[in-house]
Amino acid sequence: GFRDGILAGIQGHRLFEWRLNQSTERVLKLKETLNMYHENLAIEDPNLAMIGSDEPAVLDMAQQSLILAENDGLLPLSLNTRHKILVTGPTSSSLIHQSGGWTGQWQGALSDDWFAHGSTVFDAFSREEAWDVSCSCGVNILGGECDDEVSRQKTFFIEEIEEWVGRGPSTSIERAVKAAASKDVVLVCVGEEAYTEKPGDIRSME
């Protein structure tokens, strides 16, 4: 663990006790400045009511952080046009991958069931009645096969027959490519696993 690693580092002369003391002193001074040693924490603390009350501000910050890299005139999508839209990609139907680390626990939530609020990209697009929206995952967050459970909910019977007899796409990425061929708009949702600190470090640039 962390404690054993620190001790091993000091004993192996890779870490220095004076440097640890210096960092510890900075943390203690900051906590004192923030009055953290004198806080009165109780279950009936009136400040608890503030938790979750900042949703409008959080939404505003998220909207302001969006960056449009390029637009050839397609955006914004018209609500007056019956667009056929495919939502695909490993983060298209996942609240976990939208929220990241320190959500629910250190390395992020373990399941979308942990969330009382929020919509996946696919859910949000599906609420627009003007559009014909479908979903196909394509790949999972690690680039491998994914479960097309969401897309299968809207699969036509003939497509199920083709798959049974071996004439349809055999992999999740092939299913996504086939689905995209008949759409006006394809929204690809990419991202990375939810993580915090060291477990998420990239160990190779290859």
Side-chain angles (χ1 to χ4, degrees):
F2 178 76
R3 176 180 176 277
D4 293 338
I6 291 294
L7 290 176
I10 293 176
Q11 293 168 357
H13 304 291
R14 295 186 300 275
L15 296 175
F16 302 97
E17 190 171 348
W18 67 265
R19 181 64 182 83
L20 294 175
N21 291 337
Q22 184 182 64
S23 295
T24 302
E25 184 178 353
R26 290 176 178 174
V27 172
L28 295 176
K29 285 183 176 179
L30 178 59
K31 288 186 174 183
E32 180 66 32
T33 301
L34 296 174
N35 198 40
M36 294 178 67
Y37 295 120
H38 309 289
E39 289 183 299
N40 181 23
L41 300 178
I43 197 65
E44 60 273 4
D45 192 322
N47 292 325
L48 291 177
M50 298 173 60
I51 298 176
S53 64
D54 57 350
E55 288 185 9
V58 172
L59 176 60
D60 182 59
M61 286 189 291
Q63 291 173 335
Q64 291 191 41
S65 69
L66 297 177
I67 298 175
L68 179 60
E70 183 178 347
N71 184 15
D72 59 3
L74 177 64
L75 302 176
L77 295 176
S78 173
L79 291 175
N80 298 319
T81 302
R82 184 64 174 174
H83 290 297
K84 292 195 295 183
I85 302 174
L86 175 70
V87 182
T88 186
T91 63
S92 57
S93 299
S94 171
L95 292 174
I96 294 175
H97 300 315
Q98 286 181 196
S99 56
W102 285 120
T103 303
Q105 64 174 2
W106 181 40
Q107 293 298 314
L110 297 179
S111 166
D112 281 0
D113 295 336
W114 286 34
F115 297 89
H117 304 283
S119 300
T120 67
V121 177
F122 173 59
D123 288 339
F125 268 70
S126 296
R127 283 198 291 268
E128 294 296 342
E129 297 181 357
W131 299 334
D132 177 9
V133 182
S134 59
C135 181
S136 184
C137 58
V139 296
N140 64 24
I141 199 66
L142 297 178
E145 280 289 295
C146 58
D147 183 6
D148 265 328
E149 180 181 354
V150 175
S151 61
R152 290 180 192 278
Q153 295 173 5
K154 294 192 175 183
T155 298
F156 292 108
F157 181 70
I158 186 63
E159 293 175 344
E160 294 183 359
I161 295 295
E162 288 180 347
E163 186 172 341
W164 290 341
V165 299
R167 295 183 58 187
S170 59
T171 66
S172 57
I173 187 65
E174 289 176 348
R175 289 192 292 271
V177 170
K178 180 180 179 180
S182 60
K183 306 303 179 185
D184 305 315
V185 178
V186 177
L187 177 63
V188 182
C189 305
V190 297
E192 57 186 355
E193 290 183 282
Y195 66 84
T196 305
E197 300 165 0
K198 296 300 292 183
D201 285 357
I202 297 175
R203 291 173 171 79
S204 173
M205 296 300 292
E206 296 182 359

